[in-house]
Amino acid sequence: MAILKIARMGHPVLRVKARDVEDPSSPRALQLVEDLVETMIDADGTGLAAPQVHVPLRVVIFQVTAGRDEDEEVEVPLTVLVNPVIEELETDKTYDWEACLSVPGLTGLVPRSSKIRYRGVTPDGTKIERTAEGFHARVVQHECDHLDGVLFPQRMDDLSLLMFREELRNGIPDAARRLMECSDAE
Ligand code: NI
């Protein structure tokens, strides 16, 4: 196991479309997953995609801990998805803050589909198929975007809401509050 170096915004590996893993149960794939888990835990992240550790393969990991915010009780155990596929079940978007280990220090208000279905396999051959809403759906969309060379700022429609996270302590900008309230009302 190893803690891997995380690529930052601007590195070419974060811009390319990652390749499918041909054999998800191979020792190399298993090693990659173990290293991703160790790296994510070390960096205190919610999710991590293989391109973020300079490996352009379609592998993501994530977990959602309960009590992240008052509205959501959803807890998602550590999940590995090899060759994931996402299907949007709702075309309407909700707005919330995102951050990324490849975009350190920044946060931005990002529109995402509010409900998705996703599929993938794990290195032990388990097939995963789940529907997800809210923050769970957001995390999966964010991580899978990494596999197509997309970082969260590229999904934003108002770049004035791309900020240093520390600045949120001075209060949420009115423009962000309006977008988040629209999301909640749906
Ligand atoms: Ni990210």
Side-chain angles (χ1 to χ4, degrees):
M1 303 251 288
I3 293 169
L4 304 175
K5 187 178 177 194
I6 296 175
R8 294 192 305 172
M9 181 165 62
H11 192 290
V13 74
L14 296 174
R15 278 197 290 266
V16 299
K17 191 170 165 63
R19 284 177 284 115
D20 278 334
V21 176
E22 286 179 15
D23 180 3
S25 57
S26 69
R28 279 183 70 186
L30 189 60
Q31 181 68 55
L32 172 61
V33 167
E34 286 182 358
D35 290 347
L36 281 170
V37 170
E38 196 173 4
T39 303
M40 182 181 81
I41 289 169
D42 176 70
D44 198 22
T46 298
L48 193 63
Q52 290 183 276
V53 294
H54 307 83
V55 178
L57 292 173
R58 301 187 82 80
V59 181
V60 302
I61 64 167
F62 57 88
Q63 63 184 345
V64 178
T65 48
R68 184 194 154 268
D69 64 52
E70 290 152 16
D71 303 335
E72 290 189 59
E73 305 270 318
V74 181
E75 189 165 0
V76 185
L78 180 62
T79 299
V80 178
L81 296 176
V82 180
N83 301 334
V85 176
I86 293 183
E87 183 188 343
E88 286 191 8
L89 299 180
E90 292 282 352
T91 51
D92 63 289
K93 308 284 186 194
T94 54
Y95 286 82
D96 207 346
W97 299 98
E98 293 188 20
C100 180
L101 294 172
S102 295
V103 191
L106 295 179
T107 187
L109 199 72
V110 184
R112 297 282 187 189
S113 177
S114 57
K115 188 174 182 185
I116 62 168
R117 178 183 294 126
Y118 64 89
R119 298 185 184 82
V121 294
T122 66
D124 66 8
T126 307
K127 283 186 182 156
I128 291 179
E129 177 173 343
R130 295 180 187 149
T131 56
E133 297 181 71
F135 185 67
H136 179 190
R138 177 172 298 278
V139 169
V140 176
Q141 290 171 85
H142 175 120
E143 296 312 326
C144 289
D145 261 357
H146 281 296
L147 307 181
D148 292 324
V150 175
L151 298 176
F152 79 81
Q154 293 163 256
R155 291 291 187 195
M156 294 178 64
D157 48 23
D158 181 352
L159 282 176
S160 77
L161 300 174
L162 180 63
M163 314 172 29
F164 285 98
R165 213 178 323 182
E166 289 175 355
E167 297 299 330
L168 270 185
R169 285 197 303 234
N170 297 323
I172 295 174
D174 287 341
R177 201 181 296 279
R178 281 193 293 274
L179 287 166
M180 291 169 78
E181 280 168 4
C182 286
S183 299
D184 286 345
E186 277 161 9

